[in-house]
Amino acid sequence: MTGALANIKILDLSRVLAGPYCTMIMGDLGAEVIKVEAPGGSDETRRWGPPFKEEVSAYYLSANRNKKAITLDLKSEAGVEIIKKLVQESDVIINNFKTGTMDRFGLGYDVLAELNPRIVYCSITGFGETGPDRHIPGYDFIIQAMSGLMSITGTKESGPQKTGVAIVDVLTGLYACIGIQAALLERVQSDRGQKLDISLYDSAVSALVNIGSNYLMSEQIPKALGNAHANIVPYQAFQTLDGEMVIAVGNDHQFKAFCDVLGKPEYAQNVLFQTNPNRVKNRDELVPLLQAVLLTKETAYWQEQCRKNNIPSGPIQNLKEVVQDKQLQARNMFITQDHPTVGRIKLIGSPLKLSRTPVQMKHHPPNPGEHNEEIMNRLGMTQTTN
């Protein structure tokens, strides 16, 4: 059984999260991914921790399975020549160096496209390769701040907040993955590769979706609403007798059913609350009424009643509860792999469920240069430049 991207070869010069996350997805789908680092291992996430296990960081493990690893000195002529040889047998090359760095190495798109006109060349940068800020390095946290994402996250009391994970890196990795696969599909018709210019800043702004659209239509600067929703009410977190849960009422029919569950059918009959636009306008009156009722019973009770009546809801779970969730276990969202340095490791699985070409976990996240000998032998060479 082969993966959906079997026979696709990817040369991965990226590090940290956005690029490695992209190439891990493609590796999960069956592509051969060769991770290139400087001698000793130059992916910063190898040293981001704790937690570590036998000096291997959990952060690095999260984004680097299904890859082979080699080490090269790209500042040396020999290292650059090896990359050029690998490009000639590759379908994709991806990097996240600052704008202009690959050109300085002698590995710009025009050079590599001469060697392999079918190469798909993906550049991931903070701000893109055009525009006045193209030379500024980009980091997820900075981009969250600049893109407006932080301005709509948090509450009036908390001030702007970042998300709990590097969400811009994740989004950028996904956009890069989509773009690369689109270019590979187009290549079937044209027999030519192309360059992709993917930026963290662009990716973050694209993720503003309805909030961005709200501003473009109204020119009203959106406020942070915490766990509430700008366009839907009630659609937020509520406290219960023993914890917290989220209620996500998406239409007027669901609101009526929710009021019946609460034993307050009169709320749905109140002209102030009958329609969603009215509920949004009058959220300050409605939400305290709902909260008062929800505080009278436990989360499990309300969860059961909501599900019986097709009202979207869910408890706010911590990571221990998430890992123990029977639904996620049934979906193989937590896996184990053998690692030569640390033994058995636990990883988050893939959300991609393909019927004929399922995702496969073939390779553990590699140690620096673990596959030097294998790859150099394939190129007819006996040693690397490290």
Side-chain angles (χ1 to χ4, degrees):
M1 186 179 296
T2 58
L5 295 180
N7 302 317
I8 296 297
K9 296 182 179 180
I10 299 173
L11 193 55
D12 181 7
L13 278 62
S14 69
R15 63 206 188 282
V16 186
L17 188 54
Y21 190 71
C22 167
T23 55
M24 181 181 73
I25 293 170
M26 299 185 79
D28 287 352
L29 290 168
E32 179 189 60
V33 179
I34 299 176
K35 182 179 181 71
V36 181
E37 298 176 80
S42 55
D43 190 327
E44 294 93 324
T45 63
R46 291 185 183 277
R47 290 167 286 280
W48 284 3
F52 296 96
K53 188 175 181 182
E54 302 295 333
E55 300 185 356
V56 178
S57 77
Y59 201 123
Y60 170 77
L61 294 176
S62 73
N64 286 285
R65 65 170 175 254
N66 280 336
K67 302 177 186 181
K68 298 177 181 179
I70 63 172
T71 52
L72 295 173
D73 180 3
L74 297 185
K75 296 179 181 179
S76 72
E77 184 177 340
V80 170
E81 287 306 309
I82 291 171
I83 292 295
K84 289 180 177 179
K85 285 190 175 185
L86 287 168
V87 163
Q88 292 177 65
E89 64 172 36
S90 298
D91 298 284
V92 178
I93 182 170
I94 181 170
N95 80 88
N96 65 345
F97 293 115
K98 288 191 296 184
T99 298
T101 300
M102 287 288 280
D103 290 309
R104 288 194 293 275
F105 287 152
L107 296 171
Y109 173 67
D110 291 340
V111 172
L112 299 187
E114 282 287 326
L115 297 172
N116 180 357
R118 302 181 78 249
I119 194 73
V120 173
Y121 183 111
C122 180
S123 167
I124 296 177
T125 58
F127 294 90
E129 295 200 351
T130 60
D133 292 338
R134 63 188 180 277
H135 294 298
I136 299 175
Y139 299 88
D140 177 279
F141 193 11
I142 306 303
I143 301 299
Q144 286 197 45
M146 293 181 64
S147 66
L149 286 177
M150 284 182 63
S151 76
I152 57 173
T153 304
T155 65
K156 180 180 179 180
E157 293 72 27
S158 72
Q161 296 284 300
K162 71 177 182 66
T163 61
V165 297
I167 192 64
V168 175
D169 277 337
V170 172
L171 287 168
T172 305
L174 292 171
Y175 278 122
C177 191
I178 293 167
I180 288 169
Q181 291 181 87
L184 290 172
L185 282 171
E186 191 279 337
R187 192 181 69 172
V188 174
Q189 304 299 321
S190 68
D191 202 36
R192 297 174 59 196
Q194 58 184 300
K195 181 177 179 179
L196 283 67
D197 174 6
I198 310 292
S199 90
L200 273 68
Y201 203 17
D202 295 348
S203 299
V205 170
S206 76
L208 293 172
V209 288
N210 61 298
I211 302 300
S213 185
N214 289 349
Y215 174 75
L216 292 174
M217 179 176 290
S218 69
E219 296 190 351
Q220 297 295 309
I221 297 175
K223 299 177 181 178
L225 295 173
N227 288 321
H229 195 290
N231 301 106
I232 312 172
V233 173
Y235 199 102
Q236 65 180 75
F238 288 95
Q239 292 185 330
T240 67
L241 184 61
D242 65 347
E244 290 184 278
M245 67 183 298
V246 167
I247 306 291
V249 171
N251 57 53
D252 298 337
H253 175 76
Q254 288 178 352
F255 180 67
K256 181 179 183 304
F258 183 48
C259 292
D260 290 341
V261 164
L262 296 179
K264 298 290 183 178
E266 64 271 21
Y267 293 169
Q269 298 166 7
N270 188 324
V271 67
L272 296 177
F273 311 141
Q274 280 183 339
T275 66
N276 182 68
N278 281 350
R279 291 194 293 276
V280 172
K281 291 177 184 177
N282 298 291
R283 73 167 75 224
D284 290 343
E285 289 75 26
L286 174 60
V287 169
L289 297 175
L290 304 178
Q291 178 62 89
V293 180
L294 289 165
L295 280 169
T296 64
K297 296 185 184 297
E298 293 83 0
T299 298
Y301 171 83
W302 294 122
Q303 180 70 13
E304 181 182 6
Q305 295 303 310
C306 284
R307 288 193 171 176
K308 283 182 178 179
N309 290 275
N310 296 315
I311 300 163
S313 66
I316 297 177
Q317 299 187 135
N318 61 36
L319 266 291
K320 181 178 180 180
E321 293 166 328
V322 170
V323 172
Q324 294 173 344
D325 191 299
K326 293 181 180 178
Q327 175 65 18
L328 294 172
Q329 291 176 357
R331 299 281 292 172
N332 297 316
M333 282 306 299
F334 301 100
I335 64 169
T336 59
Q337 280 190 314
D338 289 318
H339 189 283
T341 304
V342 302
R344 296 288 281 176
I345 56 174
K346 296 179 180 179
L347 298 172
I348 295 174
S350 172
L352 299 171
K353 316 296 184 185
L354 284 71
S355 63
R356 288 193 301 103
T357 56
V359 162
Q360 299 179 60
M361 305 302 169
K362 294 182 177 180
H363 303 295
H364 60 268
N367 291 323
E370 184 174 330
H371 301 91
N372 279 353
E373 183 176 0
E374 174 188 336
I375 301 303
M376 293 306 113
N377 286 343
R378 193 166 85 190
L379 295 176
M381 304 176 71
T382 57
Q383 61 183 7
T384 66
T385 58
N386 62 348

